[in-house]
Amino acid sequence: MLPTLATFTTLFVLSHGQSWVPSGDLPVDFTVTFSAPAMVYNVCNQDFTQSARTISVDTRGVAVTPGETANDPTAMTITGAAAGDMHTILMVDPDVPSAAVGTKEKPLVHMIITNIANADPTTGTALVPYRGPMPSPCSGDHVYHYLLLKQAAALNLTFGDLPDYTPDCTNHDLAGRCLFEVANFTSSNQLTPVGYVTMVAATDGYVRYEYVNTRGTSEAEACRGLDGYDPCPTSPPTGHSQKFMMSTSTVMASVLCLLFMNFDLC
């Protein structure tokens, strides 16, 4: 699916000012592939239909839905790496609506795979297995960043080491994942960005279904913004600076994030 103008605008606004986001052309091609099944989610007094399709996240700003990317990627391919190079894959979400879980500079981790050999991600060690997008209702677009990082040598890291990179995370259930210091992680482990892709997702029928049926969220909250339900709260226009201010919809989503932060909310 080609990114829309709105997707590019969202990607620019939401990625602005993040020191760990690579710039310019990188030497290695990296693709994350999903095989989305056909599904129907009955929630909010309607059926949300998801068509089967194959999705290739091979550039920046690929538009997806959480339902399409809920399952593990069917493939991750690395092309153009030098023989003998080892790599780490890091996936993060900096658009978490709760500052206790993630920020632009210290995002929430969705996946870490280290010690990938021979450009084959299946050879790596999954310190954090893949966790799909789950943007909370009324939290807007989330940009999910995949960084392919070249290692200087094999890494002797375990999941137990990850809290060293999340010193500000106070939630035990998200230790090693929330408020992740990407810059600290890359510099401490001599990691260099060589590939980078992103996908953009917002709340869909799958998310609303999961919130109502597995997370105990009321239908009234999970279905906000849809016809027949309360709209998502919005702030009154405040001029050009509005893009960089927290809206009341973000505040509402933040409350959901805090109430259920032991789950994956983004």
Side-chain angles (χ1 to χ4, degrees):
M1 177 185 294
L2 290 176
T4 63
L5 177 60
T7 296
F8 280 123
T9 301
T10 297
L11 185 62
F12 172 78
V13 172
L14 296 182
S15 298
H16 183 73
Q18 294 158 336
S19 64
W20 48 265
V21 172
S23 60
D25 293 331
L26 297 177
V28 179
D29 292 328
F30 179 46
T31 302
V32 184
T33 303
F34 296 90
S35 295
M39 297 290 294
V40 177
Y41 301 102
N42 183 265
V43 67
C44 306
N45 293 313
Q46 60 182 291
D47 288 337
F48 292 86
T49 301
Q50 173 181 296
S51 299
R53 72 180 183 113
T54 299
I55 304 159
S56 293
V57 181
D58 56 2
T59 186
R60 304 178 189 188
V62 177
V64 302
T65 68
E68 292 172 333
T69 53
N71 297 326
D72 289 355
T74 51
M76 291 186 284
T77 56
I78 299 170
T79 306
D85 284 353
M86 300 187 75
H87 296 90
T88 288
I89 295 172
L90 173 65
M91 175 191 176
V92 295
D93 174 14
D95 301 314
V96 183
S98 170
V101 176
T103 67
K104 299 297 185 187
E105 274 300 310
K106 300 177 182 179
L108 176 68
V109 168
H110 276 254
M111 178 173 64
I112 300 178
I113 303 175
T114 62
N115 293 330
I116 295 168
N118 303 315
D120 180 1
T122 65
T123 65
T125 300
L127 300 186
V128 178
Y130 175 79
R131 298 170 184 265
M134 190 63 70
S136 50
C138 293
S139 65
D141 287 346
H142 290 226
V143 180
Y144 298 86
H145 302 248
Y146 294 86
L147 288 87
L148 179 67
L149 305 164
K150 179 183 173 181
Q151 299 177 195
L155 299 180
N156 186 25
L157 287 176
T158 67
F159 178 78
D161 296 315
L162 296 184
D164 292 344
Y165 306 101
T166 61
D168 297 328
C169 179
T170 58
N171 184 274
H172 176 75
D173 294 316
L174 294 176
R177 293 186 56 218
C178 71
L179 295 170
F180 191 80
E181 297 181 345
V182 177
N184 181 16
F185 179 72
T186 56
S187 62
S188 297
N189 294 288
Q190 296 180 285
L191 302 172
T192 304
V194 293
Y196 174 61
V197 297
T198 67
M199 63 188 191
V200 183
T203 303
D204 65 350
Y206 163 76
V207 169
R208 298 183 194 276
Y209 181 89
E210 287 294 305
Y211 266 81
V212 170
N213 290 280
T214 67
R215 304 191 173 190
T217 305
S218 69
E219 181 180 291
E221 288 298 327
C223 301
R224 293 192 75 153
L226 299 176
D227 290 343
Y229 296 90
D230 289 341
C232 290
T234 57
S235 295
T238 56
H240 180 73
S241 62
Q242 182 183 13
K243 289 181 180 179
F244 302 99
M245 295 179 66
M246 180 177 289
S247 68
T248 52
S249 62
T250 301
V251 173
M252 193 279 287
S254 178
V255 171
L256 285 175
C257 215
L258 287 170
L259 286 174
F260 301 99
M261 63 165 42
N262 57 317
F263 294 100
D264 294 312
L265 301 178
C266 314

